[in-house]
Amino acid sequence: MTTCVFVQLRCRPGKTYEVAEDIVLREIHSELYSTSGEFDLLLKLYIPEDQDIGKYINDCLLDIPGIERSLTTLTFRAFC
């Protein structure tokens, strides 16, 4: 079982595409979008249920150079 999490990332100016490329190479995301507004990228992750969500995001994502800030949203139920 997995937990679906959305993470918004703010990147340093001029670094958004480099950050996105690094995320793609790590193959940890389900979907990755560039966005307008306060954040530059939005990614959807499926985190294994036995993993600590904060540690997983910190260890697998937030060490990427160029990330200034993140906002993580946990999900509970998908309505189809």
Side-chain angles (χ1 to χ4, degrees):
M1 191 104 190
T2 60
T3 302
C4 179
V5 176
F6 290 90
V7 181
Q8 296 180 77
L9 299 173
R10 181 180 301 150
C11 303
R12 286 198 305 263
K15 297 295 180 182
T16 301
Y17 284 89
E18 291 175 30
V19 170
E21 288 172 16
D22 202 342
I23 293 169
V24 169
L25 290 174
R26 291 178 184 213
E27 299 180 349
I28 59 170
H29 65 291
S30 169
E31 299 173 47
L32 175 63
Y33 299 95
S34 59
T35 58
S36 63
E38 282 190 55
F39 292 89
D40 303 301
L41 296 170
L42 171 68
L43 65 143
K44 182 178 184 181
L45 300 172
Y46 287 97
I47 299 176
E49 196 171 85
D50 64 337
Q51 296 285 319
D52 177 281
I53 294 169
K55 182 163 176 34
Y56 183 91
I57 291 170
N58 191 59
D59 292 349
C60 297
L61 180 65
L62 297 183
D63 64 334
I64 295 173
I67 295 175
E68 280 189 347
R69 182 170 180 232
S70 67
L71 175 66
T72 301
T73 302
L74 305 178
T75 63
F76 302 111
R77 179 179 175 194
F79 296 94
C80 301

